[in-house]
Amino acid sequence: IIRDTDFDKVETGTYEVEGRDLYYFIQEYETRPVNDLPEAHRKYIDIHVPLTQAELIACEHISVVGESEAPFDEENDFALYTYSQPTWYLVKPGEFLIVYPEDTHAPLVGKGPQRKLIVKVLM
């Protein structure tokens, strides 16, 4: 289903493929020069697919960043951290970045408007 979809024509929102075990959402947002609030998930693998322009995404193993400053949000499956020396990936339209629960990640970095597909896969 995902492979045969033209995501440039899909409205923003959340779409279930196999319930909450596999779903995706389309976002539109203004990128920023820096994202210093990396997040991590426990239940889901994220697949980031920029659709409009290249996006920088920082990643660092969760063991390096230490504890979250706030309790883990179980309902929304995320916690926010701070970075020391992350690895940056430039992900272009037509490419994707897979982020596992042991990876913190800070997307949204770029210049200008972005349209993006994010696929969530339950572990």
Side-chain angles (χ1 to χ4, degrees):
I1 292 173
I2 291 176
R3 177 179 37 155
D4 298 328
T5 303
D6 181 355
F7 292 104
D8 290 331
K9 296 179 181 174
V10 175
E11 291 187 33
T12 58
T14 301
Y15 300 88
E16 293 185 353
V17 177
E18 292 181 17
R20 298 306 277 186
D21 290 349
L22 174 63
Y23 68 98
Y24 66 90
F25 53 94
I26 301 290
Q27 294 180 319
E28 291 181 353
Y29 52 86
E30 195 70 26
T31 58
R32 53 183 101 158
V34 175
N35 180 0
D36 56 0
L37 288 175
E39 62 185 54
H41 312 289
R42 291 183 182 161
K43 298 177 187 174
Y44 287 93
I45 294 171
D46 279 4
I47 304 171
H48 293 254
V49 185
L51 300 172
T52 305
Q53 63 168 312
E55 183 172 311
L56 280 167
I57 302 174
C59 293
E60 191 169 52
H61 194 274
I62 200 163
S63 65
V64 177
V65 296
E67 293 297 316
S68 172
E69 294 182 18
F72 191 86
D73 182 337
E74 294 289 342
E75 183 179 335
N76 295 303
D77 188 40
F78 85 95
L80 297 175
Y81 297 84
T82 55
Y83 269 156
S84 55
Q85 296 288 326
T87 300
W88 288 91
Y89 298 94
L90 180 64
V91 188
K92 301 173 186 171
E95 300 177 343
F96 60 89
L97 178 69
I98 299 174
V99 182
Y100 292 90
E102 61 267 16
D103 301 319
T104 62
H105 55 289
L108 313 175
V109 179
K111 292 182 181 179
Q114 177 69 288
R115 181 175 170 83
K116 186 173 177 183
L117 162 69
I118 298 177
V119 180
K120 304 287 274 185
V121 182
L122 185 65
M123 291 284 296

